[in-house]
Amino acid sequence: MKNYICFMFIQLTFTVNLESAKSPDVKIYSTSPIGPYHVVFKDIYSCNPMKNSKIQISWYLSHKGNKTIILGNSTGVIPFDDTLFLDIKLALKDAFGKWRENSFMQKWPRACSTFKQIMGNAWPVFSKALGLINTNCPIPPGFYTASGVDTSIFKNSNLPKTFLYGTYKFYIYFSRKNEIFACQVFILELKRP
């Protein structure tokens, strides 16, 4: 398992360096397992659907025409602010259809500002479609209903533009002092464009 993670990290580092050195006008098509991708949203669900969570997120996917939309609601008993941490754990589906849990893990302080930075230019559209009152941190406690987030907006975010192709399970946690306040799972397939 260690060798697999090390190999994946080396491939990711090589690809990021290679892709950042290329001119945006140059199109290189290869059989590499890493490159520009198209995201297919497979599923979204809460990984802690407990009634006593301080931040409850109940999002789900809906398909309308050629679009995939995120609908649902979220309830915050506490503000979503920079006292929280943003944790991401990544599981990769292997060739046998089994999940390789904890293939990648990252933890950032200042959850609200970090999440806003990751979303980049997609943040105003994303936050408005989630029913948030404002786009600044902190986001006050309350009940927010998502009117429909078109998943195509994620291409305007600051997420990496190249990645290893495959099916992933992203666990996104918001925590403080080892207490998890919210957890959401996104199952995504990254395919060649």
Side-chain angles (χ1 to χ4, degrees):
M1 182 69 176
K2 276 186 182 178
N3 292 339
Y4 179 76
I5 293 171
C6 183
F7 175 71
M8 195 167 130
F9 178 74
I10 290 169
Q11 275 191 319
L12 184 62
T13 303
F14 175 75
T15 301
V16 168
N17 288 334
L18 176 68
E19 292 296 321
S20 64
K22 285 192 329 190
S23 165
D25 299 330
V26 176
K27 299 276 187 198
I28 296 177
Y29 298 98
S30 72
T31 58
S32 172
I34 301 172
Y37 57 87
H38 169 71
V39 179
V40 177
F41 280 73
K42 297 287 192 177
D43 199 7
I44 297 177
Y45 59 91
S46 179
C47 46
N48 66 341
M50 300 176 290
K51 301 283 185 203
N52 58 356
S53 294
K54 302 257 173 51
I55 299 174
Q56 297 174 14
I57 302 172
S58 301
W59 294 341
Y60 61 93
L61 293 177
S62 176
H63 303 282
K64 295 183 179 181
N66 292 342
K67 295 182 181 181
T68 302
I69 308 288
I70 299 172
L71 295 169
N73 61 63
S74 55
T75 305
V77 178
I78 62 167
F80 178 62
D81 59 17
D82 285 341
T83 64
L84 299 171
F85 283 82
L86 170 62
D87 301 82
I88 293 181
K89 292 183 182 176
L90 182 78
L92 172 65
K93 190 181 259 188
D94 66 17
F96 302 107
K98 294 186 180 183
W99 290 108
R100 293 191 178 267
E101 296 291 337
N102 301 327
S103 295
F104 175 79
M105 294 183 285
Q106 179 69 42
K107 184 172 189 167
W108 292 278
R110 301 175 31 144
C112 186
S113 296
T114 301
F115 193 72
K116 186 175 174 181
Q117 180 183 6
I118 290 170
M119 290 303 296
N121 292 335
W123 174 250
V125 176
F126 182 73
S127 59
K128 182 179 178 187
L130 289 179
L132 302 181
I133 296 168
N134 64 36
T135 59
N136 298 321
C137 294
I139 295 170
F143 180 80
Y144 302 100
T145 302
S147 60
V149 179
D150 185 347
T151 57
S152 67
I153 69 162
F154 286 96
K155 64 184 166 193
N156 298 325
S157 70
N158 290 330
L159 293 169
K161 302 304 179 206
T162 60
F163 209 79
L164 185 67
Y165 300 123
T167 303
Y168 296 92
K169 191 186 297 186
F170 287 87
Y171 296 87
I172 300 176
Y173 300 93
F174 300 111
S175 64
R176 184 187 310 136
K177 296 182 182 175
N178 297 324
E179 180 183 356
I180 296 173
F181 290 94
C183 176
Q184 195 72 13
V185 176
F186 291 77
I187 298 177
L188 310 173
E189 184 179 1
L190 305 184
K191 301 169 84 171
R192 291 181 190 280

